[in-house]
Amino acid sequence: MKSSTRFPILLIFIGIFSFFSCSTFETPKEEVAVFWKQSLSFQEGLTHAKEINGKLYAASKTRIFSEATLFGINKYSDLSAFLPDNFLYRLPISDQLMATINSDELILLPIGKPFEEDALVIKMKDLDPGFYDFKQIVSGYGDQIGIDSKGHVLAPYGAPKSPGVSKYTPNFLWLKTAVIDGKVEILEKKLIKEEFFDDWVTINGFKVFENFMRVTIGNKTFDFDQNGNMELRFEFYTKSVQVGNEIITFVGDGWETFPLKVYKSDLSGKNPELIGTYNSGQVSNEDRRRIGISFDNLSSINGTIVLIEGESIFRMSMNEQSIKLFPLDNVGLIGTFITSICLIDNSTVLVTTGCEASDKNCVSGYYKPLDKFLTPR
């Protein structure tokens, strides 16, 4: 090869070498996993939490945390003095009231004032001489007492139709309340004593929405409006969740049976519209089991339905052909038992977890940025 030919080739080689020597070679960046972080502000097991009017409220088995924070010391109201020894339900969360039940009393207190002098004690036998107990929910993870955003209170209880005559459907005490000059006052009260069954039934679900409360009794689902009216909504077992401005309800003959039907309604819960019917080929048996679990494990995060089970969180995908649950990343939650999930500040997802009594290093609040929440497992 002539020297005149070798010289241009040498220049090209030197130019290529110089380009790679002077340029920065960047390898594609992998997205760094975002773990669930512990909030050290809660040092005991929590049963649930929710945001109300931009403020965080949480509950443990015996305490209410009002206007709580993830990053500081939380004040709480201890309701132990008002609780029975065999306390099996979860305390209701409200920005107005605290409530609990004892053997034959319903106790109402203003939020943040857990003192005997502030307690309004309602002796049930003064209202209904036949009262014999408060009805417990089967799962222990749902609401036992309902308090809505306007201070209406709903509590199920048992009493006979008349002396010596059995009654199968639970009764309900409905109250309209207000906090006036730091004291709880009853503005209206009603005893609801409808009969829809011919056999003994239990309460399988109790969930409070903004405009109504939904209770599954036996295999039927009832709504209680803000005037204390009880209306049969579905003659089936149901699970409901608010998604945006709609109530989505999953309906079946049993907790794990097919077909699984899905309805939507507005925020009143009335006039439900069937939007889907799914058979065993459209929902896996395992996903149907998860959806049908008796305790309230459905929530909505930024318009997405999510389901909790044990240490796991699932995203629900639903279209005309199928319903599927997809597990989300839960690094940081391994070994926990998730009790609730909610969105706070429109930016952070918070999960609460239970803790065993023997767990001396209990942390029960975990959080993650919303934009990292739907990362798949």
Side-chain angles (χ1 to χ4, degrees):
M1 183 180 292
K2 296 180 180 180
S3 60
S4 59
T5 305
R6 291 197 302 267
F7 185 69
I9 295 175
L10 182 60
L11 287 177
I12 293 172
F13 175 78
I14 293 171
I16 293 173
F17 178 79
S18 299
F19 173 80
F20 282 103
S21 298
C22 298
S23 301
T24 302
F25 183 77
E26 294 186 1
T27 57
K29 293 182 180 179
E30 294 185 3
E31 185 175 347
V32 178
V34 176
F35 295 177
W36 287 90
K37 296 181 180 179
Q38 295 181 339
S39 169
L40 301 180
S41 298
F42 299 103
Q43 296 291 327
E44 61 184 293
L46 296 178
T47 57
H48 58 318
K50 68 169 67 172
E51 186 180 66
I52 305 174
N53 296 325
K55 298 177 181 178
L56 177 63
Y57 295 79
S60 70
K61 280 289 188 181
T62 60
R63 295 172 176 177
I64 295 291
F65 299 83
S66 56
E67 300 189 30
T69 175
L70 301 182
F71 308 108
I73 298 174
N74 282 320
K75 295 181 180 180
Y76 59 82
S77 298
D78 192 334
L79 302 183
S80 299
F82 303 102
L83 295 172
D85 293 334
N86 59 341
F87 173 61
L88 299 175
Y89 60 95
R90 68 183 191 184
L91 293 169
I93 290 178
S94 163
D95 62 344
Q96 305 170 57
L97 303 175
M98 300 184 296
T100 183
I101 53 176
N102 217 314
S103 59
D104 59 355
E105 298 172 336
L106 171 65
I107 300 141
L108 303 176
L109 305 101
I111 190 73
K113 299 178 71 176
F115 309 111
E116 188 173 353
E117 59 268 24
D118 296 306
L120 174 61
V121 179
I122 301 169
K123 296 187 178 297
M124 289 299 299
K125 289 195 174 183
D126 290 344
L127 299 181
D128 187 341
F131 170 87
Y132 58 79
D133 68 354
F134 286 102
K135 292 298 181 184
Q136 299 284 347
I137 304 190
V138 169
S139 70
Y141 291 101
D143 292 325
Q144 168 69 33
I145 306 166
I147 305 175
D148 70 13
S149 61
K150 295 179 175 62
H152 300 112
V153 178
L154 188 69
Y157 73 97
K161 287 183 180 179
S162 57
V165 179
S166 296
K167 185 177 190 300
Y168 305 117
T169 303
N171 298 326
F172 291 85
L173 169 63
W174 176 87
L175 301 172
K176 180 179 180 180
T177 70
V179 178
I180 301 174
D181 296 329
K183 299 291 184 181
V184 180
E185 294 191 13
I186 297 175
L187 305 180
E188 295 180 42
K189 63 177 179 289
K190 182 187 293 189
L191 297 180
I192 302 169
K193 295 190 169 190
E194 301 292 345
E195 190 64 78
F196 291 93
F197 298 90
D198 295 321
D199 199 358
W200 296 109
V201 288
T202 57
I203 297 174
N204 292 305
F206 191 153
K207 189 162 185 175
V208 177
F209 293 95
E210 183 177 354
N211 299 308
F212 67 98
M213 303 188 203
R214 181 159 286 178
V215 184
T216 298
I217 308 170
N219 61 347
K220 301 180 188 295
T221 298
F222 303 85
D223 287 353
F224 295 79
D225 68 18
Q226 295 189 334
N227 294 310
N229 299 313
M230 179 182 185
E231 183 177 355
L232 177 63
R233 186 67 64 222
F234 297 96
E235 295 198 51
F236 301 98
Y237 295 94
T238 66
K239 295 277 287 292
S240 300
V241 61
Q242 180 177 337
V243 184
N245 292 319
E246 294 180 328
I247 304 297
I248 302 298
T249 301
F250 300 85
V251 176
D253 286 324
W255 294 122
E256 300 181 29
T257 60
F258 292 97
L260 173 63
K261 297 183 178 181
V262 183
Y263 289 80
K264 71 174 183 179
S265 71
D266 62 20
L267 296 182
S268 73
K270 297 180 179 180
N271 303 314
E273 172 190 349
L274 180 66
I275 59 173
T277 300
Y278 303 88
N279 294 302
S280 58
Q282 298 168 292
V283 186
S284 72
N285 289 335
E286 185 64 9
D287 285 351
R288 179 67 184 98
R289 180 195 65 79
R290 290 189 173 107
I291 295 170
I293 289 173
S294 60
F295 69 85
D296 177 27
N297 63 346
L298 293 179
S299 300
S300 173
I301 302 295
N302 200 35
T304 298
I305 297 176
V306 297
L307 179 148
I308 58 175
E309 183 185 42
E311 63 186 25
S312 300
I313 305 170
F314 298 85
R315 173 181 65 85
M316 180 179 291
S317 173
M318 181 169 54
N319 56 34
E320 294 180 357
Q321 286 75 41
S322 65
I323 297 177
K324 294 182 180 179
L325 296 176
F326 296 92
L328 299 180
D329 177 63
N330 65 338
V331 177
L333 296 174
I334 306 300
T336 67
F337 182 84
I338 301 171
T339 54
S340 75
I341 184 169
C342 66
L343 179 64
I344 57 177
D345 297 328
N346 290 317
S347 62
T348 303
V349 180
L350 169 68
V351 299
T352 62
T353 61
C355 297
E356 297 295 332
S358 59
D359 189 349
K360 296 180 180 178
N361 298 312
C362 174
V363 175
S364 56
Y366 296 81
Y367 62 95
K368 191 176 193 179
L370 174 61
D371 61 359
K372 302 296 182 182
F373 171 62
L374 293 178
T375 302
R377 189 187 304 175

